[in-house]
Amino acid sequence: MPDNSEHHRVVIIGSGPAGLTAAIYTARADLSPLVIEGIQPGGQLTITTEVENYPGFPEGIMGPKLMDDFRRQAERFGTSFITDAVSKVELGERPFRITIGKRSILGDVVIISTGATAKLLDLESVNRMMGHGISACATCDGWFFRDKEIVVIGGGDSACEEADYLTKFASKVTIIHRRDELRASKIMQQKVFDNPKIDFLWNHVVVDFIGTETEGLQGVKVKNTKTGVESVVKPQGAFFAIGHKPNTELFTGQLELDSVGYIITEPGSTKTNIPGVFACGDVQDSIYRQAVTAAGSGCMAAIDAQKFLAEQGG
Ligand code: NAP
């Protein structure tokens, strides 16, 4: 039976800074990339408010606006888009097959930029106040809490690193941890124990956030895990640091992933273990996780993909 699948030279899965930068570069190389942008296009920046650390915007820029500009730039050079979620990826042979519901797409190369998702608590108040006093990115949002009190939720390296970083701005940072012992490495633990601006609320979990989009955060309702007693602390900002989850479910069993699910790329490149499949952005980066580093690796993936296609004969 003839295969009526659409065939593209470059298929990019994911539409954050990494995927859209890969699109801009491959589009400008006349490869007419297809971006499958998911059902909530734009990645993590679309859930932040103002982005003040992306170079080139001295006055800052709103996250959604930045991603819209990335998208328009990619479109201008001939990128096409599908606003839907990929249901299946088959990377066993080239061209690779990507399925979206009933639609089947073939790609000579695939660039994966599906990102990572910060783990949050499943509370209605979190959805309502994300970007209005609640954040999951200290480097993105710490600046907004100058001389304010902040809580950081979590007990791993991220929580310690974020808490330490946030003391540059905040008058006081309290780490709320569900146990009485940090999971973080000893060196990070020492750093937070030595920091006079950091305090700890041990054996507590957050049960709710109090506040509104307009008033901001008014309080955090916590519960003692030993006694069950609930109380309210009153910071102006709350940062989640309970881990990130790379969005790699589609690739499990096909691509080499590390022990926590990030795609392993060859050092200094975006090559995965499958020739012709490249990964960029947070899906392969558990360390930097910045829009600008994601964009940089998207550019690398585009160049790696072009080189691969040229080596395959065009
Ligand atoms: P992590 O090590 O998985 O730590 C997550 C923390 O959040 C744990 O303390 C955990 O508590 C807590 N937590 C998880 N779910 C929770 C929930 N529902 N409610 C309350 N607390 C919850 O994640 P991470 O800190 O993001 O680190 C991820 C990886 O990156 C680690 O391998 C880490 O070493 C690495 N990393 C390294 C650096 C560095 O070297 N500079 C910096 C950042 C991250 P429990 O401890 O009770 O499980």
Side-chain angles (χ1 to χ4, degrees), residues 121 153-159 161 177-179 183 241-244:
L121 294 179
I153 303 146
D157 278 322
S158 295
E161 199 168 76
H177 185 35
R178 61 185 175 183
R179 295 186 292 132
R183 173 179 295 280
I242 59 174
H244 277 77

